mmCIF file of all heavy atoms in Angstrom:
data_model
loop_
_atom_site.group_PDB
_atom_site.id
_atom_site.type_symbol
_atom_site.label_atom_id
_atom_site.label_comp_id
_atom_site.label_asym_id
_atom_site.label_seq_id
_atom_site.Cartn_x
_atom_site.Cartn_y
_atom_site.Cartn_z
ATOM 1 N N ALA A 65 -11.578 -6.976 -3.944
ATOM 2 C CA ALA A 65 -10.351 -7.457 -3.223
ATOM 3 C C ALA A 65 -9.176 -6.974 -4.111
ATOM 4 O O ALA A 65 -9.288 -6.825 -5.331
ATOM 5 C CB ALA A 65 -10.305 -8.987 -3.129
ATOM 6 N N LEU A 66 -8.037 -6.758 -3.474
ATOM 7 C CA LEU A 66 -6.797 -6.298 -4.196
ATOM 8 C C LEU A 66 -5.650 -6.955 -3.606
ATOM 9 O O LEU A 66 -5.402 -6.851 -2.344
ATOM 10 C CB LEU A 66 -6.751 -4.729 -4.027
ATOM 11 C CG LEU A 66 -5.537 -4.104 -4.672
ATOM 12 C CD1 LEU A 66 -5.429 -4.325 -6.138
ATOM 13 C CD2 LEU A 66 -5.554 -2.581 -4.372
ATOM 14 N N ASP A 67 -4.908 -7.734 -4.386
ATOM 15 C CA ASP A 67 -3.637 -8.378 -3.994
ATOM 16 C C ASP A 67 -2.556 -7.841 -4.888
ATOM 17 O O ASP A 67 -2.518 -8.055 -6.075
ATOM 18 C CB ASP A 67 -3.858 -9.913 -4.174
ATOM 19 C CG ASP A 67 -2.718 -10.638 -3.599
ATOM 20 O OD1 ASP A 67 -1.590 -10.083 -3.379
ATOM 21 O OD2 ASP A 67 -2.901 -11.860 -3.231
ATOM 22 N N VAL A 68 -1.641 -7.106 -4.248
ATOM 23 C CA VAL A 68 -0.549 -6.385 -5.015
ATOM 24 C C VAL A 68 0.768 -6.898 -4.602
ATOM 25 O O VAL A 68 1.030 -7.080 -3.353
ATOM 26 C CB VAL A 68 -0.631 -4.836 -4.784
ATOM 27 C CG1 VAL A 68 0.605 -4.127 -5.376
ATOM 28 C CG2 VAL A 68 -1.914 -4.264 -5.326
ATOM 29 N N GLU A 69 1.663 -7.263 -5.588
ATOM 30 C CA GLU A 69 3.009 -7.738 -5.233
ATOM 31 C C GLU A 69 3.928 -7.025 -6.191
ATOM 32 O O GLU A 69 3.733 -7.066 -7.436
ATOM 33 C CB GLU A 69 3.103 -9.169 -5.232
ATOM 34 C CG GLU A 69 4.392 -9.703 -4.834
ATOM 35 C CD GLU A 69 4.398 -11.257 -4.585
ATOM 36 O OE1 GLU A 69 3.427 -11.888 -4.829
ATOM 37 O OE2 GLU A 69 5.492 -11.806 -4.210
ATOM 38 N N THR A 70 5.036 -6.469 -5.668
ATOM 39 C CA THR A 70 6.060 -5.847 -6.520
ATOM 40 C C THR A 70 7.403 -6.027 -5.852
ATOM 41 O O THR A 70 7.493 -6.106 -4.597
ATOM 42 C CB THR A 70 5.800 -4.369 -6.856
ATOM 43 O OG1 THR A 70 6.728 -3.917 -7.731
ATOM 44 C CG2 THR A 70 5.769 -3.527 -5.593
ATOM 45 N N GLU A 71 8.508 -6.150 -6.613
ATOM 46 C CA GLU A 71 9.785 -6.065 -6.052
ATOM 47 C C GLU A 71 10.163 -4.679 -5.655
ATOM 48 O O GLU A 71 10.476 -4.366 -4.530
ATOM 49 C CB GLU A 71 10.815 -6.714 -6.999
ATOM 50 C CG GLU A 71 10.698 -8.228 -7.086
ATOM 51 C CD GLU A 71 11.705 -8.857 -7.998
ATOM 52 O OE1 GLU A 71 12.761 -8.219 -8.243
ATOM 53 O OE2 GLU A 71 11.426 -9.995 -8.433
ATOM 54 N N SER A 72 10.165 -3.790 -6.676
ATOM 55 C CA SER A 72 10.659 -2.441 -6.385
ATOM 56 C C SER A 72 9.735 -1.299 -7.095
ATOM 57 O O SER A 72 10.087 -0.219 -7.092
ATOM 58 C CB SER A 72 12.109 -2.256 -6.875
ATOM 59 O OG SER A 72 12.222 -2.451 -8.216
ATOM 60 N N GLY A 73 8.632 -1.701 -7.587
ATOM 61 C CA GLY A 73 7.747 -0.749 -8.299
ATOM 62 C C GLY A 73 7.097 0.213 -7.225
ATOM 63 O O GLY A 73 6.795 -0.193 -6.123
ATOM 64 N N ASP A 74 6.919 1.467 -7.652
ATOM 65 C CA ASP A 74 6.201 2.400 -6.772
ATOM 66 C C ASP A 74 4.759 1.995 -6.762
ATOM 67 O O ASP A 74 4.208 1.427 -7.631
ATOM 68 C CB ASP A 74 6.369 3.816 -7.320
ATOM 69 C CG ASP A 74 7.789 4.364 -7.132
ATOM 70 O OD1 ASP A 74 8.591 3.757 -6.359
ATOM 71 O OD2 ASP A 74 8.121 5.358 -7.814
ATOM 72 N N LEU A 75 4.073 2.440 -5.676
ATOM 73 C CA LEU A 75 2.650 2.138 -5.473
ATOM 74 C C LEU A 75 1.836 3.374 -5.256
ATOM 75 O O LEU A 75 2.242 4.189 -4.386
ATOM 76 C CB LEU A 75 2.486 1.219 -4.249
ATOM 77 C CG LEU A 75 3.261 -0.146 -4.356
ATOM 78 C CD1 LEU A 75 3.211 -0.830 -2.997
ATOM 79 C CD2 LEU A 75 2.639 -1.087 -5.330
ATOM 80 N N GLU A 76 0.720 3.521 -5.949
ATOM 81 C CA GLU A 76 -0.176 4.615 -5.716
ATOM 82 C C GLU A 76 -1.596 3.997 -5.746
ATOM 83 O O GLU A 76 -2.103 3.673 -6.789
ATOM 84 C CB GLU A 76 -0.080 5.667 -6.821
ATOM 85 C CG GLU A 76 -1.011 6.816 -6.583
ATOM 86 C CD GLU A 76 -0.861 7.832 -7.710
ATOM 87 O OE1 GLU A 76 0.102 7.801 -8.495
ATOM 88 O OE2 GLU A 76 -1.784 8.706 -7.835
ATOM 89 N N LEU A 77 -2.200 3.872 -4.607
ATOM 90 C CA LEU A 77 -3.470 3.295 -4.395
ATOM 91 C C LEU A 77 -4.446 4.246 -3.858
ATOM 92 O O LEU A 77 -4.229 4.733 -2.722
ATOM 93 C CB LEU A 77 -3.364 1.988 -3.484
ATOM 94 C CG LEU A 77 -2.257 1.070 -3.797
ATOM 95 C CD1 LEU A 77 -2.215 -0.117 -2.741
ATOM 96 C CD2 LEU A 77 -2.404 0.488 -5.232
ATOM 97 N N ALA A 78 -5.482 4.524 -4.586
ATOM 98 C CA ALA A 78 -6.546 5.499 -4.132
ATOM 99 C C ALA A 78 -7.845 4.716 -3.966
ATOM 100 O O ALA A 78 -8.493 4.334 -4.978
ATOM 101 C CB ALA A 78 -6.657 6.656 -5.184
ATOM 102 N N LEU A 79 -8.195 4.379 -2.644
ATOM 103 C CA LEU A 79 -9.327 3.628 -2.371
ATOM 104 C C LEU A 79 -10.124 4.314 -1.224
ATOM 105 O O LEU A 79 -9.534 5.172 -0.515
ATOM 106 C CB LEU A 79 -8.993 2.256 -1.940
ATOM 107 C CG LEU A 79 -8.712 1.158 -2.949
ATOM 108 C CD1 LEU A 79 -7.403 1.356 -3.616
ATOM 109 C CD2 LEU A 79 -8.755 -0.188 -2.270
ATOM 110 N N PRO A 80 -11.315 4.040 -1.019
ATOM 111 C CA PRO A 80 -12.008 4.411 0.216
ATOM 112 C C PRO A 80 -11.579 3.540 1.363
ATOM 113 O O PRO A 80 -12.109 2.449 1.619
ATOM 114 C CB PRO A 80 -13.578 4.302 -0.111
ATOM 115 C CG PRO A 80 -13.598 3.330 -1.341
ATOM 116 C CD PRO A 80 -12.188 3.270 -1.939
ATOM 117 N N TRP A 81 -10.473 3.958 1.951
ATOM 118 C CA TRP A 81 -9.885 3.091 2.977
ATOM 119 C C TRP A 81 -10.658 2.798 4.201
ATOM 120 O O TRP A 81 -10.605 1.793 4.835
ATOM 121 C CB TRP A 81 -8.498 3.748 3.394
ATOM 122 C CG TRP A 81 -7.485 3.741 2.390
ATOM 123 C CD1 TRP A 81 -7.047 4.805 1.728
ATOM 124 C CD2 TRP A 81 -6.873 2.609 1.666
ATOM 125 N NE1 TRP A 81 -6.209 4.500 0.632
ATOM 126 C CE2 TRP A 81 -6.084 3.150 0.615
ATOM 127 C CE3 TRP A 81 -6.991 1.222 1.842
ATOM 128 C CZ2 TRP A 81 -5.297 2.300 -0.230
ATOM 129 C CZ3 TRP A 81 -6.257 0.433 0.999
ATOM 130 C CH2 TRP A 81 -5.424 0.939 0.001
ATOM 131 N N TYR A 82 -11.665 3.686 4.475
ATOM 132 C CA TYR A 82 -12.570 3.440 5.610
ATOM 133 C C TYR A 82 -13.388 2.216 5.390
ATOM 134 O O TYR A 82 -14.041 1.652 6.280
ATOM 135 C CB TYR A 82 -13.445 4.626 5.885
ATOM 136 C CG TYR A 82 -12.768 5.668 6.755
ATOM 137 C CD1 TYR A 82 -12.274 6.811 6.277
ATOM 138 C CD2 TYR A 82 -12.573 5.405 8.214
ATOM 139 C CE1 TYR A 82 -11.654 7.771 7.081
ATOM 140 C CE2 TYR A 82 -11.948 6.269 8.952
ATOM 141 C CZ TYR A 82 -11.545 7.505 8.433
ATOM 142 O OH TYR A 82 -10.838 8.439 9.255
ATOM 143 N N SER A 83 -13.624 1.778 4.111
ATOM 144 C CA SER A 83 -14.361 0.659 3.761
ATOM 145 C C SER A 83 -13.533 -0.531 3.395
ATOM 146 O O SER A 83 -13.938 -1.457 2.767
ATOM 147 C CB SER A 83 -15.374 0.939 2.660
ATOM 148 O OG SER A 83 -14.674 1.162 1.447
ATOM 149 N N SER A 84 -12.262 -0.509 3.784
ATOM 150 C CA SER A 84 -11.263 -1.562 3.378
ATOM 151 C C SER A 84 -10.512 -2.121 4.553
ATOM 152 O O SER A 84 -10.257 -1.477 5.491
ATOM 153 C CB SER A 84 -10.209 -0.871 2.416
ATOM 154 O OG SER A 84 -10.796 -0.269 1.320
ATOM 155 N N TYR A 85 -10.249 -3.436 4.377
ATOM 156 C CA TYR A 85 -9.350 -4.117 5.330
ATOM 157 C C TYR A 85 -8.014 -4.042 4.609
ATOM 158 O O TYR A 85 -7.861 -4.518 3.502
ATOM 159 C CB TYR A 85 -9.836 -5.591 5.553
ATOM 160 C CG TYR A 85 -11.113 -5.611 6.249
ATOM 161 C CD1 TYR A 85 -12.232 -6.065 5.517
ATOM 162 C CD2 TYR A 85 -11.273 -5.267 7.569
ATOM 163 C CE1 TYR A 85 -13.484 -6.134 6.155
ATOM 164 C CE2 TYR A 85 -12.539 -5.367 8.177
ATOM 165 C CZ TYR A 85 -13.642 -5.732 7.483
ATOM 166 O OH TYR A 85 -14.857 -5.867 8.144
ATOM 167 N N LEU A 86 -6.996 -3.521 5.317
ATOM 168 C CA LEU A 86 -5.714 -3.258 4.686
ATOM 169 C C LEU A 86 -4.586 -4.000 5.426
ATOM 170 O O LEU A 86 -4.485 -3.934 6.718
ATOM 171 C CB LEU A 86 -5.402 -1.798 4.626
ATOM 172 C CG LEU A 86 -4.043 -1.392 4.224
ATOM 173 C CD1 LEU A 86 -3.796 -1.665 2.683
ATOM 174 C CD2 LEU A 86 -3.834 0.130 4.440
ATOM 175 N N ASP A 87 -3.606 -4.599 4.674
ATOM 176 C CA ASP A 87 -2.394 -5.108 5.234
ATOM 177 C C ASP A 87 -1.290 -4.832 4.209
ATOM 178 O O ASP A 87 -1.378 -5.372 3.105
ATOM 179 C CB ASP A 87 -2.576 -6.590 5.518
ATOM 180 C CG ASP A 87 -1.531 -7.146 6.459
ATOM 181 O OD1 ASP A 87 -0.657 -6.319 6.931
ATOM 182 O OD2 ASP A 87 -1.592 -8.327 6.754
ATOM 183 N N VAL A 88 -0.361 -3.986 4.525
ATOM 184 C CA VAL A 88 0.739 -3.675 3.647
ATOM 185 C C VAL A 88 2.043 -4.201 4.337
ATOM 186 O O VAL A 88 2.276 -3.845 5.493
ATOM 187 C CB VAL A 88 0.922 -2.158 3.405
ATOM 188 C CG1 VAL A 88 2.163 -1.889 2.523
ATOM 189 C CG2 VAL A 88 -0.294 -1.546 2.706
ATOM 190 N N LEU A 89 2.794 -4.976 3.625
ATOM 191 C CA LEU A 89 4.009 -5.493 4.159
ATOM 192 C C LEU A 89 5.209 -5.127 3.243
ATOM 193 O O LEU A 89 5.185 -5.428 2.066
ATOM 194 C CB LEU A 89 3.992 -7.030 4.221
ATOM 195 C CG LEU A 89 2.806 -7.629 5.033
ATOM 196 C CD1 LEU A 89 2.711 -9.114 4.744
ATOM 197 C CD2 LEU A 89 2.965 -7.422 6.470
ATOM 198 N N ALA A 90 6.103 -4.284 3.759
ATOM 199 C CA ALA A 90 7.262 -3.792 2.994
ATOM 200 C C ALA A 90 8.532 -4.386 3.685
ATOM 201 O O ALA A 90 8.758 -4.096 4.868
ATOM 202 C CB ALA A 90 7.275 -2.288 3.031
ATOM 203 N N GLU A 91 9.328 -5.097 2.921
ATOM 204 C CA GLU A 91 10.523 -5.663 3.416
ATOM 205 C C GLU A 91 11.550 -4.583 3.808
ATOM 206 O O GLU A 91 12.243 -4.649 4.853
ATOM 207 C CB GLU A 91 11.213 -6.668 2.435
ATOM 208 C CG GLU A 91 10.471 -7.955 2.364
ATOM 209 C CD GLU A 91 11.215 -8.949 1.550
ATOM 210 O OE1 GLU A 91 12.423 -8.913 1.468
ATOM 211 O OE2 GLU A 91 10.530 -9.821 1.012
ATOM 212 N N LYS A 92 11.550 -3.486 3.020
ATOM 213 C CA LYS A 92 12.408 -2.324 3.305
ATOM 214 C C LYS A 92 11.409 -1.149 3.360
ATOM 215 O O LYS A 92 10.595 -0.935 2.486
ATOM 216 C CB LYS A 92 13.440 -2.066 2.239
ATOM 217 C CG LYS A 92 14.589 -3.039 2.300
ATOM 218 C CD LYS A 92 15.598 -2.810 1.206
ATOM 219 C CE LYS A 92 16.053 -1.325 1.127
ATOM 220 N NZ LYS A 92 17.030 -1.128 0.060
ATOM 221 N N PRO A 93 11.483 -0.255 4.360
ATOM 222 C CA PRO A 93 10.657 0.958 4.433
ATOM 223 C C PRO A 93 10.819 1.809 3.139
ATOM 224 O O PRO A 93 11.964 1.983 2.672
ATOM 225 C CB PRO A 93 11.086 1.686 5.691
ATOM 226 C CG PRO A 93 11.750 0.709 6.458
ATOM 227 C CD PRO A 93 12.359 -0.303 5.537
ATOM 228 N N PRO A 94 9.686 2.242 2.552
ATOM 229 C CA PRO A 94 9.901 3.103 1.359
ATOM 230 C C PRO A 94 10.573 4.439 1.694
ATOM 231 O O PRO A 94 10.464 4.930 2.795
ATOM 232 C CB PRO A 94 8.518 3.315 0.854
ATOM 233 C CG PRO A 94 7.622 3.051 2.015
ATOM 234 C CD PRO A 94 8.407 2.079 2.921
ATOM 235 N N GLY A 95 11.252 4.988 0.630
ATOM 236 C CA GLY A 95 11.833 6.309 0.876
ATOM 237 C C GLY A 95 10.782 7.420 1.109
ATOM 238 O O GLY A 95 11.005 8.304 1.906
ATOM 239 N N GLU A 96 9.645 7.268 0.466
ATOM 240 C CA GLU A 96 8.524 8.178 0.560
ATOM 241 C C GLU A 96 7.332 7.387 0.966
ATOM 242 O O GLU A 96 6.946 6.498 0.195
ATOM 243 C CB GLU A 96 8.283 8.960 -0.697
ATOM 244 C CG GLU A 96 8.768 10.335 -0.775
ATOM 245 C CD GLU A 96 8.367 11.010 -2.014
ATOM 246 O OE1 GLU A 96 7.204 11.452 -2.161
ATOM 247 O OE2 GLU A 96 9.202 11.007 -2.951
ATOM 248 N N LEU A 97 6.627 7.755 2.021
ATOM 249 C CA LEU A 97 5.447 7.104 2.515
ATOM 250 C C LEU A 97 4.408 8.203 2.726
ATOM 251 O O LEU A 97 4.560 8.981 3.595
ATOM 252 C CB LEU A 97 5.726 6.279 3.755
ATOM 253 C CG LEU A 97 4.451 5.588 4.353
ATOM 254 C CD1 LEU A 97 3.950 4.482 3.456
ATOM 255 C CD2 LEU A 97 4.858 5.070 5.755
ATOM 256 N N ARG A 98 3.337 8.113 1.937
ATOM 257 C CA ARG A 98 2.147 9.054 2.093
ATOM 258 C C ARG A 98 0.926 8.240 2.350
ATOM 259 O O ARG A 98 0.417 7.589 1.404
ATOM 260 C CB ARG A 98 2.047 9.994 0.879
ATOM 261 C CG ARG A 98 3.250 10.844 0.636
ATOM 262 C CD ARG A 98 3.105 11.767 -0.510
ATOM 263 N NE ARG A 98 3.002 11.187 -1.816
ATOM 264 C CZ ARG A 98 3.970 11.006 -2.651
ATOM 265 N NH1 ARG A 98 5.223 11.438 -2.393
ATOM 266 N NH2 ARG A 98 3.778 10.423 -3.850
ATOM 267 N N ILE A 99 0.359 8.387 3.564
ATOM 268 C CA ILE A 99 -0.837 7.631 3.887
ATOM 269 C C ILE A 99 -1.783 8.460 4.699
ATOM 270 O O ILE A 99 -1.359 9.431 5.426
ATOM 271 C CB ILE A 99 -0.433 6.282 4.654
ATOM 272 C CG1 ILE A 99 0.169 6.636 5.983
ATOM 273 C CG2 ILE A 99 0.399 5.441 3.784
ATOM 274 C CD1 ILE A 99 0.404 5.413 6.925
ATOM 275 N N PRO A 100 -3.091 8.083 4.769
ATOM 276 C CA PRO A 100 -4.008 8.749 5.658
ATOM 277 C C PRO A 100 -3.672 8.555 7.072
ATOM 278 O O PRO A 100 -3.081 7.490 7.454
ATOM 279 C CB PRO A 100 -5.326 8.154 5.262
ATOM 280 C CG PRO A 100 -5.189 7.537 3.936
ATOM 281 C CD PRO A 100 -3.735 7.176 3.912
#
């Protein structure tokens, strides 16, 4: 399990996303978004 919380830190998460349940909540859309 992974529970991540940051105010303004950048995020780089490399996981096998096909085997993950994911929920990302961003109050402001990031300037750069790179996702599968």
